[in-house]
């Protein structure tokens, strides 16, 4: 009966301490860090209660009690040293935080070595060689049986050391994108765009190419392709694409968006809009808004996204008799306009219908510009035969055409007229 009472009391004391630790560790972080030493202390207290209730029958448990107490002290000391090294020295002073898996493995190895050394001192009569040999054989058998698990474990160690990704990084592994939410000793957990939790074994990740969108920097460039009709000038398309991108929430102003003319396809000119963002998780929303803004901006500017087309030309039949009639020649009037590409009045258009027009800051001008460097009457454009001529009206800062300052010059299609920050493009559709 005394044996049963002693066993019950010992188990109850150990269980009470373990339960108290389990409850308090939810609120006290320090108890979570010292969980393993406290488990050893609870077992040692239970053994001490048993020795107190049966003092004459517990002499053989003295060495075990000494080993538990010594192991508890060693584990607590190792935990304090590890807390100082990993949390204070590395993290606070050096700014380095090691992955939790690597820290846990380090403590596991330290506990095993210290426990084995204390066991040799507490039980000097124990021959450690058979124990080590048995452990080696057991490790070999378990290694062969648990090869996939061990492979994932060591792959997790390699990932922890190399750190190709960290918690909260957005990565792409095996064609799947997601945010890294957890890295364990066996698996890595990704939260996908659909808010699903994808669990990937570390061994599989070690064999795959990993695309990290966040590290070493979160900037991501997105390319958007759009086809435009051949009749639209490239500078108009570039301006429309940049204006559309400026209204998309989440896209960065720095680095600035860029537009590239990629290629001349069968039925359209293909342009590429390059934009930047730091929110890769919100990329589908930004891409959708960018497409909508491009469509609306193209419609406002009269830019056409053509359908695939094919032109069929049929040669006329040879005629045996050709009748030539003389008719009065018809005069074709070429369509021309000035389009403001850059500056405060960006987007304004003035059609040249043959009459001389004046561009300046005065309200009496045909095209009024709010550019501070524009004179009241800056330059005049007038028809000269079949073309148009620009004449500077003795403006203060002068007029440049294609980077060259001019007093009078014949204009050609797509000439760029610059006044301060304002750039006008002369368009002449013959």
């Amino acid at each position: 009966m005394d044996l049963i009472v002693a066993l019950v009391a010992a188990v109850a004391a150990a269980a009470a301490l373990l339960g108290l630790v389990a409850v308090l560790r939810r609120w006290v972080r320090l108890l979570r860090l010292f969980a393993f030493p406290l488990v050893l202390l609870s077992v040692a207290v239970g053994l001490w209660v048993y020795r107190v209730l049966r003092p004459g029958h517990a002499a053989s448990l003295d060495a075990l009690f000494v080993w538990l107490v010594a192991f508890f002290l060693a584990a607590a000391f190792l935990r304090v040293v590890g807390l100082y090294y990993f949390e204070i020295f590395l993290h606070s002073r050096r700014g380095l935080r090691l992955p939790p898996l690597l820290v846990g493995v380090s403590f596991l190895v330290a506990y095993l070595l210290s426990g084995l050394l204390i066991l040799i001192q507490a039980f000097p009569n124990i021959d450690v060689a058979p124990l080590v040999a048995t452990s080696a054989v057991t490790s070999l058998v378990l290694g062969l049986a648990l090869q996939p698990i061990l492979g994932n474990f060591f792959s997790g160690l390699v990932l922890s050391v190399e750190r190709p990704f960290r918690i909260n990084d957005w990565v792409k592994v095996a064609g799947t994108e997601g945010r890294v939410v957890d890295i364990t000793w066996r698996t890595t957990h990704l939260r996908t765009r659909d808010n699903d939790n994808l669990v990937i074994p570390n061994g599989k990740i070690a064999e795959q190419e990993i695309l990290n969108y966040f590290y070493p920097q979160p900037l991501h460039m997105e390319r958007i392709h759009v086809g435009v009709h051949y009749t639209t000038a490239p500078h108009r398309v570039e301006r429309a694409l940049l204006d559309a991108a400026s209204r998309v929430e989440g896209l960065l102003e720095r680095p600035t968006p860029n537009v590239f003319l990629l290629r001349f396809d069968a039925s359209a000119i293909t342009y590429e809009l390059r934009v930047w963002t730091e929110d890769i998780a919100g990329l589908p929303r930004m891409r959708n808004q960018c497409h909508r803004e491009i469509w609306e901006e193209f419609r406002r500017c009269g830019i056409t996204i053509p359908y695939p087309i094919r032109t069929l030309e049929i040669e006329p039949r040879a005629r045996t008799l050709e009748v030539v009639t003389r008719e009065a020649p018809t005069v074709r009037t070429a369509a021309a306009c000035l389009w403001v590409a850059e500056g405060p009045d960006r987007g304004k258009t003035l059609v040249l219908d043959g009459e001389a027009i004046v561009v300046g800051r005065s309200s009496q001008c045909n095209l009024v510009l709010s550019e501070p460097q524009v004179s009241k009457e800056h330059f005049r454009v007038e028809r000269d035969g079949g073309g148009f001529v620009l004449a500077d009206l003795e403006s203060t800062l002068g007029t440049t055409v294609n980077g060259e300052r001019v007093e009078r010059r014949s204009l050609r299609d797509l000439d760029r007229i610059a006044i301060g920050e304002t750039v006008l493009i002369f368009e002449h559709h013959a």
Side-chain angles (χ1 to χ4, degrees), residues 136-302:
V137 174
T138 304
S139 300
L140 178 60
V141 175
L142 291 177
L144 293 176
L146 303 177
Q147 185 176 0
I149 297 178
L150 293 177
N152 291 325
F153 173 75
F154 287 109
S155 297
L157 287 180
V158 173
L159 293 176
S160 298
V161 174
E162 293 187 353
R163 301 189 71 185
F165 51 80
R166 301 162 298 176
I167 299 296
N168 291 327
D169 281 358
W170 192 275
V171 299
K172 183 177 182 180
V173 181
T176 302
E177 293 184 8
R179 189 183 303 276
V180 180
V181 295
D182 193 15
I183 304 174
T184 67
W185 63 271
R186 193 184 70 87
T187 59
T188 297
H189 297 247
L190 300 183
R191 185 66 51 81
T192 65
R193 295 188 190 274
D194 299 329
N195 203 33
D196 298 327
N197 190 48
L198 178 63
V199 181
I200 307 177
N202 291 329
K204 296 293 184 182
I205 295 181
E207 299 174 356
Q208 299 287 337
E209 294 181 353
I210 303 172
L211 180 60
N212 194 332
Y213 294 99
F214 272 23
Y215 183 80
Q217 47 82 22
L219 284 178
H220 172 72
M221 183 178 69
E222 179 67 13
R223 294 176 169 88
I224 298 176
H225 295 166
V226 60
V228 178
H229 201 280
Y230 274 89
T231 57
T232 305
H235 57 264
R236 286 183 176 266
V237 179
E238 179 180 357
R239 185 71 264 163
L241 290 175
L242 294 178
D243 288 344
S246 65
R247 294 191 294 270
V248 178
E249 182 181 358
L251 297 182
L252 301 178
E253 295 181 0
R254 294 288 184 276
T256 56
N258 290 313
V259 178
F260 293 88
L261 194 156
L262 283 189
R263 56 186 177 271
F264 297 98
D265 289 330
S267 57
I269 301 177
T270 300
Y271 294 86
E272 180 181 78
L273 172 63
R274 296 181 181 180
V275 292
W276 297 84
T277 181
E278 291 181 335
D279 183 17
I280 190 67
L283 187 59
R285 174 192 57 79
M286 287 182 281
R287 189 187 296 117
N288 169 70
Q289 186 180 354
C290 196
H291 287 159
R292 292 169 60 93
E293 293 292 345
I294 289 174
W295 188 91
E296 294 178 3
E297 185 66 23
F298 277 13
R299 182 164 183 173
R300 281 191 291 267
C301 298

Side-chain angles (χ1 to χ4, degrees), residues 34-80:
F34 286 84
F36 180 69
L38 291 176
V39 170
L40 293 176
L41 179 61
S42 301
V43 177
V45 169
L47 187 58
W48 177 79
V49 171
Y50 182 83
R51 292 174 66 250
V52 169
L53 295 178
R54 291 179 61 82
H57 302 275
S60 59
L61 299 179
D62 290 343
L64 180 59
F65 177 74
V66 171
W67 178 78
L68 285 173
V69 174
F71 195 12
F72 158 71
L73 295 176
F77 175 76
L78 290 173
R79 195 66 200 185
V80 171

